[in-house]
Amino acid sequence: MEGIKGRRALVTGGASGIGLAVARRLAGGGARVAVLDLPGEPLDRAASSGLVTAAADVRDPAQVRGAVAAVEESLHGLDTLVISAGVIHIKRLGEVTEADWDLTLDVNLKGAFLVAQAAAPALVDSRRGRIVAISSDAGRAGVPLLHAYSASKAGMIGLAQSLAGELAPHVTVNCLCPVSTPDTGMGRQVLAWKRDSTARTEEEVLDEIRRLFPLARTGTPEDVAAAVMFLVSDAAGFITGTAIDIDGGAALNTMPGAGS
Ligand SMILES: NC(=O)c1ccc[n+]([C@@H]2O[C@H](COP(=O)([O-])OP(=O)(O)OC[C@H]3O[C@@H](n4cnc5c(N)ncnc54)[C@H](O)[C@@H]3O)[C@@H](O)[C@H]2O)c1
């Protein structure tokens, strides 16, 4: 894809799942890539694979500023930011604690804001900046038992639109809204909850999800990474302030028997 080679990209939550798939795809396209994540084994593995790494908690403004500055120094600037760090909990309303709510909003929404704020000056300076934030189908319409998660992901779309106006014309800012993507840390957490709460096997749960999607399969981290590549490429240079569904058609009205 035109415009990926030579980019200098930071991917938050890039030590696992969707973020890692994005980091690998960008690096494969010739970008210089750094991943920011919590310290631990996944981040160590990313470092061993040749990615630049920065250990930080996205909830902490000082850690975020320090990590972004270190990445800018390593990469000699920054023109691409992918915001993928995220957490989820699945609980009935009466069981949600204040700590549950705060963690989810702080990582998913405040963390996105802090990282964008710290990276914005370098992205503007580059004159070809790109921000892609990983929201969710749960940010499009609230999902039962995902109060904080849905609120954080809807908030992310509003945040991205706000940034898109302010950082134009030097930076584009867009969201992606993936549907259930089981092959990640968060995806496995959600799948285990669905299995336990319905007393079915994981394969039965996955079969049901596949039946709900017109494109008849679950999403993969690579589906999301492919959309990130497009939004970062030159081809998407006139697209900003949007949110794109990566959902296999799940948002469509469907009718049993209507598909081929
Ligand atoms: N998997 C899905 O079904 C799905 C669907 C839609 C959207 N998403 C979104 O995709 C993004 C990536 O999730 P994933 O599915 O790859 O899950 P994941 O758990 O594999 O990745 C999330 C990453 O965020 C990091 N992270 C968590 N808290 C952090 C913090 N305080 N500071 C820094 N990093 C932190 C984790 O360490 C992890 O590496 C999330 O924002 C998630 O909401 C996932």
Side-chain angles (χ1 to χ4, degrees), residues 37-195:
D37 211 304
L38 295 170
E41 211 183 297
L43 193 62
D44 295 343
R45 274 199 302 273
S48 315
S49 78
L51 294 164
V52 173
T53 57
D57 185 327
V58 294
R59 296 173 293 172
D60 183 311
Q63 287 188 33
V64 167
R65 280 195 299 272
V68 169
V71 165
E72 286 173 13
E73 200 174 324
S74 289
L75 304 184
H76 306 292
L78 191 69
D79 52 37
T80 304
L81 172 64
V82 180
I83 300 171
S84 190
V87 293
I88 196 169
H89 63 266
I90 309 173
K91 288 187 178 179
R92 297 208 165 268
L93 187 56
E95 293 158 6
V96 177
T97 64
E98 187 179 353
D100 291 329
W101 175 271
D102 286 349
L103 175 68
T104 306
L105 269 292
D106 285 355
V107 174
N108 298 3
L109 188 53
K110 185 170 114 179
F113 167 75
L114 292 173
V115 172
Q117 187 182 46
L123 297 173
V124 170
D125 280 353
S126 78
R127 294 294 189 264
R128 58 168 202 158
R130 295 280 201 271
I131 300 178
V132 183
I134 312 301
S135 175
S136 168
D137 62 332
R140 295 290 210 183
V143 177
L145 315 193
L146 298 188
H147 327 90
Y149 185 77
S150 291
S152 71
K153 293 297 179 177
M156 214 170 184
I157 297 174
L159 171 66
Q161 289 171 339
S162 176
L163 292 171
E166 182 172 345
L167 301 181
H170 301 306
V171 183
T172 69
V173 189
N174 293 286
C175 280
L176 294 174
C177 299
V179 79
S180 182
T181 306
D183 193 17
T184 72
M186 184 181 293
R188 282 184 286 278
Q189 185 186 343
V190 173
L191 186 58
W193 183 89
K194 288 177 180 163
R195 178 200 63 207

